[in-house]
Amino acid sequence: MVGIKDVARRAGVSIGTVSNVVNRPHLVSEATRTRVLSVIQELGYVRDESARQLRAGRSRIMALLVLDLGNPFFVDVARGAEQAAHGAGLSVITCNSGQRVDTEAAYLAMLAEQRVRGVLLSTVDTEGEGLDRFRRSGIPHVFVDRKVPGDQACSVSVDDVAGGELAMRHLVEAGHTRIAFVNGPTVLTQCRDRQAGVDAALASAPPPQRHLSVLDATGLDVASGRDAGARLLGMSPRPTAVFCANDLLALGVLQAMVTAGVRVPEEMAIVGYDDIEFAGAAAVPLTSVRQPAVRLGRTAAELLIAETESTGEERQHEHRTVVFTPELVVRDSTRVRRG
Amino acid sequence: MVGIKDVARRAGVSIGTVSNVVNRPHLVSEATRTRVLSVIQELGYVRDESARQLRAGRSRIMALLVLDLGNPFFVDVARGAEQAAHGAGLSVITCNSGQRVDTEAAYLAMLAEQRVRGVLLSTVDTEGEGLDRFRRSGIPHVFVDRKVPGDQACSVSVDDVAGGELAMRHLVEAGHTRIAFVNGPTVLTQCRDRQAGVDAALASAPPPQRHLSVLDATGLDVASGRDAGARLLGMSPRPTAVFCANDLLALGVLQAMVTAGVRVPEEMAIVGYDDIEFAGAAAVPLTSVRQPAVRLGRTAAELLIAETESTGEERQHEHRTVVFTPELVVRDSTRVRRG
DNA sequence: ACAGATTCATGAAACGTTTCAGAAGAGCCG
DNA sequence: CGGCTCTTCTGAAACGTTTCATGAATCTGT
């Protein structure tokens, strides 16, 4: 593999000069610069980033570790992060843990060894071994979609308690009294918070008393939603409304209802969460709690960039905690149609 | 930042020994090994991968460069690739070009500088500057979802011509004579091939003559599909069936139809492509051409691993070209319902 | 007790860059 | 012409690992 030495020899200059041509072209005379560049072209020289990084000390890569790329919500987060990162001349690499703690830990270890410039974290783990070790590695990081005490790290999130409340209040106000909540794995703070919102909404609701059934789904995907839907169908008395922790779950529940011939929303109202693009295109367009996903990713990346820059120059970095507010988007799945 | 030296000093051994503890533990006595490990633990030492890679010569990262993560098809491809890569002890990083040629070129350059172990390529570019330079860098790579002559590189793809033919023949057999084809950007070979399949199906169809309108969408996403749907609605005489190069386009077209009150499939039959999970959950479940996405990714990664291993030991590597066959999944969007 | 194996630890070279102090030459001023 | 400054280039020292030849110490069998 051709290295900087080969270029130097061939162009009849020192390796320092070649390096300057690549990194600080203004320090090199027009003549030598073009000569060196043409040799680089000719030999197909590609700088070895590991050597560069070893010496220069910093990487130009920002990583994004997400819970599940199968959820379009996180794809939007990634989009936002890329916008901001590219603006700052950084490349973004995405790592998908698929909500597996061990995969997540493996990625965290890899990113730490890689000495990435910074990492955007959306992890399952909140205080396990893997995450802990990573945090001690000293690599700048920002939590995405999880609120974290401001003295520990920056974080950008959406108020999940408020979101859960929004959804449940909507169902309560529509007059439902037997309501189900299909929650995802409660190891996820998002799921716990949304449930807290649900509970709060019910606690503050005016009489009469509502009955809430909580169904725990095994995952946050469409298949788990179908399972939950089947269980829902078997209940008696059957709830008349269901709030799902996630649009994917909601889509699965919806499929189960459609297949079983249960009319939505007349016999079963459904509310999802995230307002992914496919929610509005579903068999029955889904009412959902919208989160500003792209903005979440962009803001997180901006915070991360600010942090990596500040730690270099000033001594101090003040962690920031940004919390966005979710918004309810009402569609047919909870709206009894006229006519 | 704590390095191998610090560990060595603190444990009272040489740096070579520390390295052995980490990489070839069997060469180190039980006693020193545990002592060194506990120091590593205590100091929170994390190996610097750039130094390691510089010396050891090879990375342990496989990259996947995809056209568009917003398309669940590619997320499935990524899933498959991860399965195979993890099996071989490699980490996968995903880079999303979003179909922008310049972003793509930037990622390719980054991956080359990074001296990644290998790259799975799903690019817009087929013979541009960026891709060319990357290929000359000598990093092993396998083309995913694009067939490439076997003397150039390995590739794993699905027969897009056959897929296009499958879809169009289905519409012809259902008796449609005014048919539209909503195609994506024709810079993509996938789109060109699917169109070729469409043409072939029409050419070989028995009389009467069919009329085909080709609409070029600006992207391969839902929004572009809505645009195309609007154009479709404005045509007169309006086609009675439409085949979309992509499920996302199809979902957009479907939305436009539903919004305009055009009944699907009675007034407008729709066929999509990819059979993403959301296709079956759509307002009207979509007929679609299914591709084995996960298998595509897995096979490609396996080929890549084989290539990286063979070039090390033997001198020869025989490029392989794998082509899968797509399959038509018929759903309500083309099936006139009984009753 | 001794040669030969075996086990374990060491020290230094190498990997391909970046960076920096300084040399060489050119241009300018008095 | 001597002393400046400027521009341009050089050579060597780092960066933090891995790896390998070498050496010291212990074990094995006779």
Side-chain angles (χ1 to χ4, degrees):
Chain A
M1 180 137 287
V2 28
I4 205 174
K5 279 192 259 224
D6 306 300
V7 176
R9 192 173 334 119
R10 176 91 160 171
V13 295
S14 73
I15 61 172
T17 301
V18 177
S19 176
N20 279 337
V21 168
V22 175
N23 302 302
R24 301 130 78 179
H26 59 280
L27 292 183
V28 176
S29 73
E30 174 76 23
T32 36
R33 195 188 329 147
T34 56
R35 182 156 40 99
V36 170
L37 282 175
S38 80
V39 172
I40 286 181
Q41 179 74 14
E42 178 194 355
L43 297 182
Y45 164 71
V46 177
R47 166 173 60 199
D48 185 321
E49 175 68 17
S50 49
R52 159 179 217 283
Q53 184 176 328
L54 173 59
R55 174 62 230 220
R58 62 199 316 216
S59 153
R60 292 130 118 212
I61 293 182
M62 168 186 298
L64 168 66
L65 176 58
V66 295
L67 280 179
D68 181 16
L69 273 187
N71 186 346
F73 167 73
F74 287 110
V75 176
D76 281 341
V77 172
R79 249 194 276 273
E82 271 165 15
Q83 286 172 11
H86 290 172
L90 299 176
S91 297
V92 176
I93 64 179
T94 304
C95 302
N96 181 24
S97 72
Q99 294 186 42
R100 288 174 301 268
V101 184
D102 51 342
T103 308
E104 182 174 291
Y107 273 125
L108 284 171
M110 184 270 275
L111 294 172
E113 293 193 344
Q114 212 73 224
R115 302 282 197 273
V116 189
R117 182 76 141 270
V119 183
L120 262 28
L121 288 173
S122 165
T123 60
V124 186
D125 202 356
T126 61
E127 43 200 7
E129 175 70 4
L131 182 59
D132 241 43
R133 215 199 300 267
F134 174 78
R135 303 202 56 192
R136 264 177 284 139
S137 80
I139 292 187
H141 53 283
V142 171
F143 285 91
V144 182
D145 202 32
R146 180 203 309 307
K147 191 176 168 186
V148 158
D151 55 325
Q152 295 190 13
C154 285
S155 66
V156 184
S157 59
V158 184
D159 189 338
D160 283 314
V161 178
E165 224 171 322
L166 221 48
M168 191 48 69
R169 197 145 46 204
H170 174 64
L171 292 177
V172 165
E173 281 169 3
H176 294 281
T177 53
R178 289 196 315 280
I179 306 179
F181 174 44
V182 176
N183 203 0
T186 49
V187 283
L188 298 176
T189 37
Q190 289 91 328
C191 293
R192 288 202 304 275
D193 286 356
R194 286 167 202 179
Q195 170 135 29
V198 164
D199 294 342
L202 285 182
S204 72
Q209 183 76 26
R210 275 87 187 176
H211 183 66
L212 178 75
S213 323
V214 177
L215 308 192
D216 285 310
T218 45
L220 275 167
D221 46 31
V222 178
S224 306
R226 276 191 295 258
D227 286 355
R231 273 185 283 158
L232 216 48
L233 289 167
M235 292 174 64
S236 96
R238 189 198 290 158
T240 60
V242 53
F243 167 43
C244 302
N246 188 321
D247 277 347
L248 300 180
L249 284 175
L251 287 172
V253 168
L254 175 60
Q255 274 189 6
M257 296 303 139
V258 169
T259 307
V262 172
R263 285 171 301 148
V264 176
E266 291 82 356
E267 300 176 73
M268 180 72 74
I270 305 181
V271 178
Y273 206 107
D274 287 345
D275 193 32
I276 60 177
E277 184 160 35
F278 304 106
V284 181
L286 276 182
T287 291
S288 189
V289 178
R290 174 179 298 170
Q291 310 198 80
V294 175
R295 202 152 157 234
L296 202 66
R298 184 155 24 88
T299 308
E302 285 164 357
L303 251 48
L304 185 57
I305 291 166
E307 178 166 347
T308 59
E309 280 168 359
S310 81
T311 47
E313 300 148 24
E314 323 151 28
R315 268 277 56 83
Q316 232 65 305
H317 168 75
E318 195 71 28
H319 289 312
R320 288 189 53 198
T321 304
V322 178
V323 179
F324 290 113
T325 303
E327 180 188 348
L328 186 74
V329 179
V330 179
R331 296 205 185 84
D332 290 353
S333 71
T334 59
R335 187 157 51 196
V336 176
R337 284 161 237 168
R338 54 263 171 250
Chain B
M1 180 138 283
V2 29
I4 205 174
K5 279 194 258 228
D6 305 299
V7 175
R9 192 172 335 117
R10 175 93 163 173
V13 296
S14 73
I15 60 172
T17 301
V18 177
S19 175
N20 280 337
V21 168
V22 176
N23 302 302
R24 300 130 78 181
H26 59 280
L27 292 184
V28 175
S29 74
E30 175 76 25
T32 35
R33 195 189 329 150
T34 56
R35 183 156 39 98
V36 169
L37 283 175
S38 79
V39 172
I40 285 180
Q41 180 74 13
E42 177 195 355
L43 266 40
Y45 164 70
V46 177
R47 165 175 59 199
D48 185 321
E49 175 68 17
S50 50
R52 160 179 216 284
Q53 185 177 326
L54 173 59
R55 173 63 228 220
R58 63 199 313 214
S59 155
R60 293 131 117 209
I61 292 181
M62 169 186 298
L64 168 65
L65 176 58
V66 295
L67 280 179
D68 181 15
L69 273 187
N71 187 348
F73 168 73
F74 287 110
V75 176
D76 282 342
V77 171
R79 250 194 274 274
E82 271 165 16
Q83 286 173 12
H86 289 171
L90 299 178
S91 297
V92 176
I93 63 178
T94 304
C95 303
N96 182 22
S97 72
Q99 294 186 39
R100 288 174 302 267
V101 184
D102 51 342
T103 308
E104 182 173 290
Y107 274 126
L108 284 171
M110 184 271 274
L111 293 172
E113 293 192 344
Q114 213 72 222
R115 301 283 197 271
V116 196
R117 183 75 142 271
V119 183
L120 263 29
L121 288 175
S122 165
T123 59
V124 185
D125 202 355
T126 61
E127 44 201 5
E129 175 71 4
L131 181 58
D132 241 43
R133 216 200 302 266
F134 174 78
R135 302 202 56 190
R136 265 177 283 139
S137 81
I139 293 186
H141 53 280
V142 170
F143 284 91
V144 182
D145 202 32
R146 179 203 310 305
K147 191 176 170 187
V148 158
D151 55 326
Q152 295 191 13
C154 287
S155 65
V156 183
S157 59
V158 184
D159 188 337
D160 283 313
V161 179
E165 223 171 321
L166 221 47
M168 190 48 68
R169 197 146 45 203
H170 174 63
L171 291 177
V172 165
E173 283 168 3
H176 294 280
T177 52
R178 287 195 316 279
I179 306 178
F181 173 45
V182 176
N183 203 1
T186 49
V187 283
L188 298 176
T189 38
Q190 289 92 329
C191 292
R192 286 202 304 273
D193 287 356
R194 287 167 201 178
Q195 170 135 29
V198 164
D199 294 340
L202 284 183
S204 73
Q209 183 77 23
R210 276 86 187 176
H211 182 68
L212 178 75
S213 324
V214 177
L215 308 192
D216 285 309
T218 45
L220 275 167
D221 46 32
V222 179
S224 305
R226 276 191 295 259
D227 287 354
R231 272 185 284 157
L232 217 48
L233 288 168
M235 291 174 64
S236 97
R238 188 198 290 158
T240 61
V242 54
F243 167 43
C244 302
N246 189 323
D247 277 347
L248 300 181
L249 284 174
L251 287 173
V253 168
L254 175 59
Q255 274 189 8
M257 296 303 139
V258 170
T259 307
V262 172
R263 286 170 301 149
V264 175
E266 292 81 355
E267 299 175 73
M268 179 72 74
I270 306 181
V271 179
Y273 206 108
D274 287 345
D275 193 33
I276 61 176
E277 185 160 38
F278 303 105
V284 180
L286 276 183
T287 292
S288 190
V289 178
R290 175 178 297 170
Q291 309 198 80
V294 176
R295 201 151 159 233
L296 203 64
R298 182 154 26 85
T299 308
E302 285 165 357
L303 251 47
L304 184 58
I305 290 166
E307 177 166 348
T308 58
E309 280 169 358
S310 80
T311 47
E313 300 148 24
E314 323 152 26
R315 267 287 44 87
Q316 232 65 307
H317 167 76
E318 195 72 28
H319 289 311
R320 287 189 53 200
T321 304
V322 179
V323 180
F324 290 112
T325 304
E327 183 188 347
L328 187 73
V329 179
V330 179
R331 296 205 186 85
D332 290 353
S333 71
T334 59
R335 187 156 50 195
V336 177
R337 284 160 236 168
R338 53 263 170 251

